[in-house]
Amino acid sequence: MGKYVIAGNWKMNKTPAEATELINAIKPLVADASCDVVVGVPFIDIPAALEATKGTNIGVAAQNCYWEKSGAFTGEIAADMLRAMGVGYVILGHSERRTYFGDTDATVAKRVRGALDAGLTAILCVGEYLEQREQGITSEIVAMQTKIALEGVSADELSRVIIAYEPVWAIGTGKTATAEQANEVCAEIRAVLTSLYNEEAARAVTIQYGGSMNAANAAELLAMPDVDGGLIGGASLKPNDFATIVAAAK
């Protein structure tokens, strides 16, 4: 099975000083974690986060990257730049990037390619909007997003891809997919991976659920057979809540 990974997505929150304070609060609470722990911080916080997590079991993720190595791309950050700093992970294709900033399935695929070429682990987000779930096309949408993002990704490179199933209607809304709904889609993603690669490779991929996972519902969600972790939004900014979710990932 995929390795359990609990990753916080801090979104556009925390100054560098606040990031250091939050990580220092989290560190002792997750020191004995039986899963991988990651904090996904704003670009400006990366140096502080890397310093604060030095010598700990906490990895650092960026929240996006561009696919070109350098050039006239004002405001963008190359995957190689992140890698040179010591970042290990990058979150790609989050619905907020797709909804507000023009990311498409095609550009997400390019970002995944850039991240893998730079040696990063890509946390690839996929998920449907509420109207798509109501239309009964969740499986098709999520399968398409997954297939396009992984085009040209080898079975060897797949070991550096984490997939986060994030139903858009459940992000920051307080609504959560039921444990059964979450598991059903995570299982469908694994079936897509089996068709693209093989069953062994598919079983080894970490498939997270992200969509208002919190301290209260984490244990039920993480007990599902195809849910291998969580991409945590609001709760990742609360040390005790985040630690509770980490503890639930056994």
Side-chain angles (χ1 to χ4, degrees):
M1 286 300 297
K3 181 168 51 179
Y4 276 96
V5 180
I6 301 295
N9 176 14
W10 292 11
K11 306 190 180 184
M12 196 179 72
N13 290 291
K14 304 299 178 184
T15 64
E18 290 168 341
T20 298
E21 183 181 358
L22 178 54
I23 291 168
N24 284 339
I26 291 170
K27 281 193 291 196
L29 302 177
V30 303
D32 298 323
S34 58
C35 64
D36 286 359
V37 181
V38 180
V39 290
V41 305
F43 289 130
I44 195 72
D45 293 341
I46 288 173
L50 289 168
E51 183 61 32
T53 57
K54 198 176 288 181
T56 74
N57 61 329
I58 302 173
V60 175
Q63 295 178 11
N64 196 23
C65 71
Y66 198 60
W67 55 85
E68 296 286 357
K69 290 183 178 294
S70 63
F73 305 106
T74 302
E76 289 288 348
I77 306 281
D80 283 333
M81 295 174 179
L82 297 174
R83 183 67 178 172
M85 294 179 76
V87 171
Y89 303 79
V90 60
I91 300 168
L92 298 171
H94 192 279
S95 68
E96 288 157 8
R97 299 297 317 171
R98 295 176 191 255
T99 302
Y100 305 137
F101 303 108
D103 274 15
T104 65
D105 293 339
T107 62
V108 170
K110 287 178 163 182
R111 294 180 199 277
V112 170
R113 180 75 267 157
L116 294 175
D117 285 348
L120 298 174
T121 292
I123 301 176
L124 165 65
C125 301
V126 298
E128 81 283 10
Y129 287 92
L130 180 59
E131 58 268 30
Q132 293 169 331
R133 174 162 280 275
E134 290 173 342
Q135 290 162 353
I137 57 173
T138 294
S139 299
E140 292 91 331
I141 292 295
V142 171
M144 180 178 70
Q145 291 173 337
T146 303
K147 288 176 179 178
I148 292 172
L150 296 179
E151 188 175 3
V153 173
S154 69
D156 185 48
E157 289 171 327
L158 188 66
S159 66
R160 285 189 289 111
V161 177
I162 294 168
I163 299 178
Y165 167 53
E166 294 213 318
V168 182
W169 49 272
I171 298 172
T173 61
K175 294 180 182 176
T176 312
T178 66
E180 290 74 22
Q181 285 174 324
N183 189 70
E184 180 183 15
V185 181
C186 290
E188 288 169 348
I189 292 169
R190 213 178 295 281
V192 170
L193 297 177
T194 300
S195 71
L196 293 175
Y197 300 93
N198 56 63
E199 188 173 356
E200 184 182 3
R203 298 309 305 179
V205 173
T206 297
I207 301 179
Q208 299 174 317
Y209 173 72
S212 300
M213 184 186 282
N214 57 48
N217 62 29
E220 184 186 8
L221 286 160
L222 292 167
M224 289 287 129
D226 279 291
V227 178
D228 306 321
L231 183 58
I232 316 301
S236 70
L237 300 174
K238 302 170 185 173
N240 290 323
D241 286 14
F242 188 60
T244 299
I245 297 169
V246 168
K250 290 185 174 63

